[in-house]
Amino acid sequence: MAVLEALTTVNLVPAIQRAPAKGRILDTANVLFYEDGIRNVGVDRIISASSVTKATFYKHYRAKDNLIVEYITHRHATVRANLEAIIASSPNAEIALREFIAAVIAEIDRPGFRGCPFINAAAEFPQSDHPVRKVVTAHREWYVDTLAELLRSMGHPVPGDAADELLLARDGALAGGYAGDSVAASAALGRIANRVLAESVGH
């Protein structure tokens, strides 16, 4: 997929005020890092695809590592904004969780799907103390806490454990949906979600 075409399909949160050139660099990295892998995409390719000069790139980011951390941080902000929007628009916790599962399944079906960007990034940066891994860890902790709070609102007897199950089911569906049978992966995620939600008190 061409970068400019892909940029029109990426679901980004409303931009924080940032320089147009810096925004183009981040938006380009958001596509290329996800499509081709973070380590496979060099600075020169990002500079060319985002139509900026080398001096402009280094003025804003100084090094590729800084762009990588901003990329994965921006991905987290996007996921968080999307889930918070689902929660805000849902009349209750159960509907919010079902909408969350539906959004994951829709992601698996999206053209250009390449699996979970956070798991992909963690695989490329195995050192647990690397800044990228710290963002991934914080992202997953936020995810579990958010899902647990929704499950607690439903009266689930062990919301923390159930949140872990849902997140791991999501991980498996994203991995299986990319590497294997996307229909089977989505169906399995739906079955697990139904079982977890059915465990809630008064369901």
Side-chain angles (χ1 to χ4, degrees), residues 79 100-101 104 107-108 115-119 139-140 143 147 164-176 189 192:
V79 172
F100 155 70
I101 296 300
V104 174
E107 182 180 358
I108 293 170
C116 174
F118 300 93
I119 294 175
H139 169 76
R140 295 182 66 80
Y143 232 141
L147 296 177
D164 285 335
E165 285 187 66
L166 281 182
L167 187 60
L168 288 174
R170 168 197 169 274
D171 292 346
L174 292 176
L189 173 60
I192 293 170

Side-chain angles (χ1 to χ4, degrees), residues 129-142:
D129 61 344
H130 191 282
V132 168
R133 288 298 296 269
K134 290 181 178 179
V135 175
V136 172
T137 298
H139 169 76
R140 295 182 66 80
E141 289 174 350
W142 161 81

Side-chain angles (χ1 to χ4, degrees), residues 19-39:
K22 185 176 185 181
R24 287 202 307 278
I25 294 168
L26 180 58
D27 291 347
T28 300
N30 192 56
V31 172
L32 295 181
F33 285 165
Y34 181 67
E35 286 189 345
D36 296 335
I38 296 171
R39 295 192 183 277

Side-chain angles (χ1 to χ4, degrees), residues 94 154-157 197-203:
E94 179 178 355
M154 286 183 65
H156 198 286
L197 296 182
E199 293 168 349
S200 297
V201 174
H203 187 273

Side-chain angles (χ1 to χ4, degrees), residues 107-125:
E107 182 180 358
I108 293 170
D109 290 337
R110 178 175 55 80
F113 174 66
R114 297 287 186 275
C116 174
F118 300 93
I119 294 175
N120 295 349
E124 292 198 62
F125 295 90

